[in-house]
Amino acid sequence: MPGHLIRRLHQISTHVFMTRTREAGFDLTPVQYAALDAIRQSPGIDQAGLADAVAKDRATIGAVADRLVHKGLVSRKVNARDKRARKLALTEEGEALVATLTPLVEALQKEILTGLDEAEYRMFVELAAKAARATGSVAGD
């Protein structure tokens, strides 16, 4: 069943990410990395926008943002236009971490789909992106 296979691949993806990043001396979850990368791409994004960008609910993203602020990787400031919203930006330490970690994260992607040749890997990514776009979970190209 596709749902079971997707869940299993998610488990494999998380395991590979956690193993490789810990081996490299980093203490970061895949969701934390995704949040840092989204903030890097959209400095000043608010928590609601970040939740949309990483496909997580607002409560989860609030907790993720709290951890990243606590780790000194993200700064959070009140939005001058909407006092309820918090604008997020990477700190210098956060910028450095993302710059260091991104090549490692890019390199481990193929390890997640061990057993696929290059053409199969590209096809899997295309089909997964197509399925996600159909649900509105991934922006179109």
Side-chain angles (χ1 to χ4, degrees):
M1 301 288 277
H4 173 72
L5 294 172
I6 291 165
R7 183 184 65 75
R8 186 66 190 120
L9 284 172
H10 179 263
Q11 290 172 325
I12 292 165
S13 173
T14 299
H15 175 75
V16 169
F17 181 95
M18 296 300 294
T19 299
R20 296 296 167 251
T21 55
R22 282 187 181 141
E23 287 172 352
F26 300 102
D27 177 27
L28 208 64
T29 68
V31 173
Q32 290 172 347
Y33 174 79
L36 290 171
D37 189 52
I39 295 167
R40 180 189 59 78
Q41 292 180 38
S42 300
I45 191 171
D46 64 18
Q47 287 182 195
L50 182 59
D52 291 342
V54 299
K56 290 289 185 182
D57 62 85
R58 290 181 185 188
T60 298
I61 284 303
V64 169
D66 287 345
R67 283 187 213 94
L68 295 173
V69 168
H70 181 73
K71 290 181 177 189
L73 302 172
V74 170
S75 66
R76 182 171 30 203
K77 296 179 183 166
V78 174
N79 186 333
R81 292 183 301 204
D82 180 355
K83 301 293 185 202
R84 296 169 297 160
R86 303 290 180 262
K87 293 170 58 174
L88 304 169
L90 296 182
T91 62
E92 285 184 28
E93 186 178 344
E95 289 277 359
L97 178 65
V98 172
T100 301
L101 207 50
T102 295
L104 174 68
V105 172
E106 289 171 353
L108 65 79
Q109 296 305 302
K110 295 226 171 142
E111 188 176 347
I112 294 166
L113 297 172
T114 299
L116 299 184
D117 64 29
E118 187 62 33
E120 291 167 330
Y121 178 87
R122 284 193 309 274
M123 182 184 297
F124 175 87
V125 172
E126 288 173 22
L127 291 172
K130 180 178 181 179
R133 278 193 302 273
T135 67
S137 297
V138 174
D141 303 78

